[in-house]
Amino acid sequence: MLLPTKNEKENIKPMIKAIRKHCSYEIIVSDENSPDGTARIAKSLGVKVFPRKNRGYGSGVKESLENAKKLGHTHLLVTDCDRTYPVNYIKKLDKNTVAISIHNWDS
């Protein structure tokens, strides 16, 4: 489960807790060097945090595909950290049809 973040200090902890309530997927944070401590909070909750090399949401997703593949994952589910989308939908998703498949991802 990917959370691209930038200055999500207020949202990161409740979002991680909500995700964990609804699924057992590993959570990966792709943080855009947030000065507000977003990455520190995520790490304190046991989440893997990858600092983003490049700016922007798209870069966060692309870099996370590469990181997820290195971690041995074959799919990546992405959601916003600002709680725009309710995480209770996660259980209803079929990862084979809605997640980004990284089987053939070329870096």
Side-chain angles (χ1 to χ4, degrees), residues 4-99:
T5 61
K6 182 175 181 182
N7 297 321
E8 295 287 354
K9 178 181 175 180
E10 301 300 319
N11 295 319
I12 191 73
K13 187 174 182 177
M15 189 63 167
I16 289 170
K17 286 183 174 188
I19 291 169
R20 286 181 172 158
K21 178 180 176 184
H22 293 284
C23 74
S24 61
Y25 299 148
E26 179 176 28
I27 301 169
I28 301 169
V29 167
S30 173
D31 186 59
E32 193 174 314
N33 303 304
S34 300
D36 69 350
T38 298
R40 179 183 45 75
I41 295 166
K43 286 179 187 176
S44 77
L45 295 169
V47 173
K48 287 189 173 107
V49 177
F50 293 95
R52 218 173 292 160
K53 296 173 189 170
N54 298 299
R55 295 174 65 187
Y57 188 89
S59 292
V61 172
K62 182 179 179 198
E63 290 174 26
S64 295
L65 286 168
E66 295 164 0
N67 291 325
K69 187 174 181 181
K70 289 176 189 173
L71 292 171
H73 296 294
T74 57
H75 291 79
L76 188 63
L77 186 63
V78 182
T79 193
D80 291 343
C81 191
D82 61 6
R83 299 185 276 172
T84 300
Y85 308 105
V87 295
N88 62 337
Y89 70 89
I90 295 170
K91 289 181 184 178
K92 299 174 186 174
L93 297 176
D94 176 347
K95 73 177 185 177
N96 294 314
T97 57
V98 300

